[in-house]
Amino acid sequence: QVQLVESGGGLVQAGGSLRLSCAASGRTFSSYAMAWFRRAPGKEREFVAGISWGGSSTYYADSVKGRLTISRDNAKNTMYLQMNGLKPDDTAVYYCAARIASIIQSMDITATYNYWGQGTQVTVSS
């Protein structure tokens, strides 16, 4: 089992920044590829960004490229999402997710993730 806990959400004005963290406990953190997803009010959960088990490969949704940066520190069992240039459309509950590193399907497929956090709210005001 892997337990995931997100933090760092909050209320920010458009153009501002936030840094989300996802702390993992349980089995070896470096055995898992990780990702951030989000769910906006009235919408389906969507992929935001993903990172390989070692951190050498990253993937982003087109809507966040150039503004959000995913990273991880395996020594601290923590993944991050640096969010710059935030827009009102970024308002959502953000979830971190983990899946076994050997899975080869695209990282934006929700069903391939074994573990999920409870989410942290990000609200961007205009």
Side-chain angles (χ1 to χ4, degrees):
Q1 289 287 335
V2 174
Q3 292 79 43
L4 303 174
V5 179
E6 303 94 337
S7 62
L11 173 64
V12 63
Q13 289 187 332
S17 298
L18 284 174
R19 188 193 197 200
L20 305 184
S21 297
C22 173
S25 60
R27 294 192 175 183
T28 306
F29 180 66
S30 60
S31 299
Y32 294 84
M34 305 289 294
W36 289 97
F37 288 78
R38 67 186 181 187
R39 177 177 285 161
K43 295 185 178 181
E44 296 291 319
R45 187 176 298 189
E46 66 174 358
F47 173 79
V48 176
I51 188 166
S52 60
W53 66 270
S56 61
S57 298
T58 57
Y59 311 87
Y60 295 94
D62 288 342
S63 60
V64 306
K65 283 181 181 177
R67 300 188 298 116
L68 276 58
T69 303
I70 190 171
S71 62
R72 66 190 294 166
D73 185 339
N74 286 348
K76 296 182 178 180
N77 284 5
T78 304
M79 175 179 66
Y80 305 96
L81 186 67
Q82 179 66 43
M83 310 170 71
N84 298 329
L86 284 164
K87 305 175 181 179
D89 284 349
D90 294 317
T91 295
V93 177
Y94 283 72
Y95 301 89
C96 66
R99 72 181 195 183
I100 298 170
S102 59
I103 294 175
I104 62 173
Q105 289 95 328
S106 175
M107 293 200 75
D108 62 351
I109 301 175
T110 304
T112 63
Y113 290 84
N114 310 95
Y115 304 102
W116 293 85
Q118 293 300 307
T120 185
Q121 176 71 46
V122 172
T123 303
V124 184
S125 63
S126 57

